[in-house]
Amino acid sequence: MVKQELIQRSPVRIFEKSIHGGLGAGEVGIISSQSGIGKTSVLVQIALDKLLQTKKVIHVSFTQHTDYVLAWYEDIFDEFVKKKNLENSREVKNELIKNRVLMNFNQDGVTGEQILKSLRAMIVDGGFNADALIIDGFDFNRMSRERIAGAKEFAKELGFSVWYSCTVKSDAPAYDKKGIPLVVTDFVDLVDVVIVLEPRQDHIALTVSKDRDTYNPEHMDLKLDPKTLLILT
Amino acid sequence: MGIDITKMRNIGISAHIDSGKTTLSERILFYCDKIHAIHEVRGKDGVGATMDHMELERERGITIQSAATQVEWKDYTINLIDTPGHVDFTIEVERSLRVLDGAILVLCAVGGVQSQSITVDRQLKRYHVPRIAFVNKCDRTGANPFKVRLQLREKLGLNAVMIQIPIGLEDKLEGLVDLITMKAVYFDGDSGTELRYAEIPPHLKGDAEKYREELIDAVSLFSDELAEKFLGGEDISEDLIHQAIRKGTLAEQFVPVMIGSAYKNKGIQTLLDGVSNYLPNPTEVKNYALDLDHGEERKELISDEKSPTVALGFKLEDGQYGQLTYVRIYQGSLKKGEELINTRARKKFKVGRLVRMHSNDMEDITEGAPGDIVALFGVECASGDTFCGGGLNYAMSSMYVPEPVISLAINPTDKKSADQMAKALNRFTKEDPTFRTFVDQESNQTIIQGMGELHLEVYIERMRREYKCEVETGMPQVAYREAIQQRSDFNYTHKKQTGGSGQYGRVAGYMEPYGDGDYEFVDNIKGGSIPNEFISSCDKGFKEAVKRGSLIGFPIVNIRCLINDGASHPVDSSDIAFQLAAIGAFREAYNKAKPCILEPIMKVAVEGPTEFQGNIYASINQRRGIISASTEDGTFSRVEAEVPLSEMFGYSTVLRSLTQGKAEFSMEFEKYGKVPTSISEALVKEYEEKRRKEQGR
């Protein structure tokens, strides 16, 4: 399979269809689940899909050392190569790497303002015109209406979309009736898409809780393979 | 002999530049009674620290050459290797690491885990060197050993655990609490030579209990007995804790964190106790050699003086009495007058003068024990050579030597300098395998090659100072390579059949990109169209052809040449005829194979205050660099990028001015990468002009 085919046949296409063509510039999406279900994996797959299309991605992580994030990309890319039989994978990979920057922040030491400042420095001074921002491991208990509004505005100004991961506790009710994580309810109007991952018997189901103005739209016909954590169609 | 091997420690001191490594080495020498006065690095008394014995180092305040030195601490013998901190001299670091059994990883209590700490730690991991972390400079403003401990865990992934905590910090640093004996330790008297043990100050009792609990919990993994006592709430003896820490440290699963301030003479004696207690003795480290008589089979060496000798010459120096070779003895002993063989040169030699080194002084000895580090005089060898006795033919596994990535043309300014230059270069290349030199046949200039700008600068400086040799230097040149991007066929006939003995050979096949190495030759000749005896002639011809590419005259890499057809003549075919046929075939096909230029790409890490981040990003962006990652924790950030070496010249000056001198960078060779078209065109043009000029002469 060549790169072009890989892009066309990617399960991410179906994923985007279910949310009306994916996120646009200035839009914010959240992928929510308990820890260890596969949020990072889904984010990395969204990022890799963008990278394959030679779009630029900044992957921000709050919990994992950049080396670990790197390992995620390596593993998932290798799974892709194995599964889809990708031709000249070495060259493809070398090309991808040029369009990806990993940024790691310590959430206790770095303010929201500082994060935006650093991102601006990367995009403007570093000449890195990101198409998408992946934000993994951010603690939503620290999120406020102002903060997410600020992030959204910033994304709009610089023209990229944002995917957050949101970890919910497993020992208490975590979602409201509409399937929105309780930590998000206060500013859910500012979030464009919410997707929830839930472990089932032999797979992990992806459900859309919010798609722009629609709550609980059609069931997303996608699941994760619990072993590889890859999106299956 | 009189040396008890289990009481011997071969250790190195590895650190980020400016974490106070030289001061620490100096203090260690002092407390072990080897010197009788303390001098500071760049000291006001103009004497300079004893370990930095080269004038150049005294001026720059950095340690370039490692010196091995032996000290006695209580009943232990410690061989101390001072390793250079600058990344351009990593070969020196690597070489020292090869002969060490354990290391002290020095960290600055303010700066914490910095870029070179990461490089050094990676090297320690590569050579499986167990380590103690010493958080130095606890007297400085902003010192926070607990934060450093956290960074050791997070940035380096080490299981770092406090075994001491400070009493006071910054200018109020008084001493430390030993969490194993649960006593306060103070360093009294002039130069802190008198240790005073006392009760833990009341306000630190709670903290001490907390950190001790953490320590016991962490080491209980390494001792069942300790774990049982811990769970049963029984008293745990100091010995039991020491043993458990030692076990964890040797297995590289635990790193004890010790603290102090070398400058203020605090925590050095306790650190030396730590070295004795937790770092391995030579018998506890597995060392292997390759048996050259049995296809390089790995053989484990035994630290036993009765076994045949195996020793490694890991460092050369020119002293006043001729060449001095530092040797680590791995097996058997080294006796004066004994005959050994240098297995690389296949030469026998007699062990002449044998000494133990102390920085710049030495003492004569008659015998060295296994595990010991000694020095020999007057042995002809290169660094990395193995010396064996008793008929063994072993080589210590070769040290990893990176290829040089930068070159510089040098011209002596007068006749006297020219003679001296040859002497200097001869010595430097023997000492340092990453430093190379050759005469460029086209321009007739002497070229030196090395691992970075500073690396070459230091050697030029040393020529001037030590050899009174003045040279003019050209512009630094990057070591480019050429490569092909597609398959290209050839079918070439070389013939010369006019008068005298003729030459005839036809070679056909193809060349193609080859990802797994620099060059591969494949013989696919069926039915003897090229006679067997000339196959190797074709290989030779191709090898000759790849030495200089036609684009810019640099070596061609990642290429496979395959031959599958050809023709010969019963009389006129010869070795040389087929070599020339292969060269002709190569040239015919090369330009059709989409040749391109490759350049060395460096892995660059820049660290500095977050406020300058924009400037740092911009400076990398301007240098055709690709930022791969950035890490921020509050005020400090670290940026990792891949940048072409040709764009990194003068970066240190630029970075200094961009960040008010507050940021620093380190770099190492990462890979070769394709040069962008615009630059490659300029390089080709430049090369063609140069050729035209030379031909016009």
Side-chain angles (χ1 to χ4, degrees), chain B residues 166-461:
Chain B
I167 300 174
L169 266 179
E170 302 180 342
D171 57 354
K172 298 192 176 52
L173 178 73
E174 289 176 56
L176 53 89
V177 175
D178 178 343
L179 299 174
I180 297 157
T181 56
M182 286 303 265
K183 283 262 184 280
V185 188
Y186 298 98
F187 303 84
D188 295 347
D190 291 346
S191 333
T193 42
E194 291 154 41
L195 264 62
R196 176 166 57 86
Y197 296 92
E199 287 303 309
I200 300 174
H203 71 279
L204 280 176
K205 270 230 160 42
D207 276 356
E209 292 289 349
K210 183 179 93 178
Y211 282 104
R212 177 182 163 98
E213 175 113 354
E214 190 181 293
L215 165 66
I216 303 290
D217 188 37
V219 297
S220 62
L221 290 176
F222 307 109
S223 159
D224 294 345
E225 191 185 342
L226 188 145
E228 274 168 37
K229 290 198 157 134
F230 180 48
L231 291 172
E234 295 169 59
D235 273 346
I236 299 170
S237 71
E238 290 166 29
D239 268 353
L240 201 52
I241 304 174
H242 285 315
Q243 279 166 24
I245 295 178
R246 181 181 183 82
K247 206 170 146 195
T249 307
L250 295 198
E252 288 181 273
Q253 290 168 10
F254 184 89
V255 174
V257 180
M258 306 182 81
I259 56 136
S261 159
Y263 182 69
K264 287 281 197 292
N265 306 317
K266 292 189 187 343
I268 308 302
Q269 296 96 320
T270 38
L271 175 66
L272 285 163
D273 285 339
V275 167
S276 324
N277 287 333
Y278 312 130
L279 290 181
N281 73 54
T283 65
E284 290 169 308
V285 178
K286 279 198 163 55
N287 286 300
Y288 296 91
L290 305 172
D291 187 345
L292 301 176
D293 291 340
H294 293 94
E296 299 214 338
E297 193 186 332
R298 255 164 55 112
K299 288 268 171 44
E300 191 176 335
L301 300 171
I302 5 176
S303 301
D304 162 37
E305 49 189 274
K306 301 212 169 32
S307 308
T309 310
V310 179
L312 172 76
F314 64 95
K315 181 152 182 53
L316 311 181
E317 264 176 31
D318 264 358
Q320 306 144 267
Y321 316 101
Q323 182 176 298
L324 181 67
T325 308
Y326 286 90
V327 178
R328 156 92 197 235
I329 309 165
Y330 285 95
Q331 178 177 295
S333 59
L334 206 58
K335 291 190 183 72
K336 206 170 159 166
E338 188 180 27
E339 190 171 78
L340 296 177
I341 184 160
N342 175 336
T343 55
R344 178 194 56 91
R346 312 283 327 127
K347 275 215 310 248
K348 284 194 171 138
F349 68 95
K350 247 200 175 64
V351 177
R353 193 171 167 203
L354 196 59
V355 294
R356 249 191 238 307
M357 296 305 294
H358 161 62
S359 192
N360 236 9
D361 320 323
M362 55 184 114
E363 76 183 274
D364 281 86
I365 52 170
T366 54
E367 186 172 354
D372 209 344
I373 289 176
V374 295
L376 301 168
F377 270 104
V379 176
E380 250 319 297
C381 65
S383 58
D385 285 358
T386 308
F387 312 124
C388 293
L392 289 184
N393 186 14
Y394 285 3
M396 294 304 299
S397 51
S398 67
M399 287 185 258
Y400 163 81
V401 177
E403 282 290 309
V405 289
I406 178 172
S407 63
L408 199 58
I410 51 173
N411 276 325
T413 47
D414 53 51
K415 173 79 183 72
K416 201 167 133 272
S417 290
D419 299 344
Q420 289 296 82
M421 185 173 92
K423 262 195 218 152
L425 292 178
N426 184 19
R427 177 185 145 193
F428 298 156
T429 46
K430 261 201 212 156
E431 272 180 25
D432 178 352
T434 57
F435 178 77
R436 301 187 196 167
T437 174
F438 65 94
V439 174
D440 181 27
Q441 304 203 324
E442 288 189 3
S443 60
N444 215 354
Q445 279 180 311
T446 302
I447 309 285
I448 54 175
Q449 298 177 302
M451 300 313 297
E453 259 178 308
L454 180 70
H455 188 205
L456 297 183
E457 265 171 35
V458 164
Y459 281 119
I460 287 165
E461 189 80 350

Side-chain angles (χ1 to χ4, degrees), chain B residues 77-95:
Chain B
T77 305
I78 299 175
N79 283 311
L80 190 66
I81 307 265
D82 192 20
T83 53
H86 195 283
V87 81
D88 268 350
F89 303 101
T90 38
I91 190 70
E92 296 259 16
V93 183
E94 301 246 357
R95 237 197 257 144

Side-chain angles (χ1 to χ4, degrees), chain B residues 590-611:
Chain B
Y590 185 67
N591 290 337
K592 294 185 298 195
K594 269 183 87 181
C596 66
I597 302 173
L598 305 177
E599 62 181 341
I601 307 279
M602 310 300 278
K603 197 185 193 76
V604 177
V606 190
E607 290 197 338
T610 301
E611 62 200 90

Side-chain angles (χ1 to χ4, degrees), chain A residues 89-143:
Chain A
S89 60
R90 201 187 294 190
E91 283 161 44
V92 172
K93 194 161 153 183
N94 285 340
E95 283 307 306
L96 293 191
I97 290 170
K98 291 181 184 165
N99 291 320
R100 179 199 60 200
V101 170
L102 307 177
M103 294 181 85
N104 168 288
F105 296 99
N106 171 344
Q107 1 206 34
D108 298 321
V110 187
T111 61
E113 207 175 319
Q114 180 56 48
I115 293 169
L116 294 190
K117 203 173 145 192
S118 297
L119 286 168
R120 188 180 290 277
M122 181 66 77
I123 294 165
V124 178
D125 302 314
F128 192 86
N129 293 320
D131 292 285
L133 209 58
I134 301 286
I135 302 181
D136 193 17
F138 180 73
D139 177 0
F140 265 80
N141 292 313
R142 300 168 187 253
M143 187 56 101

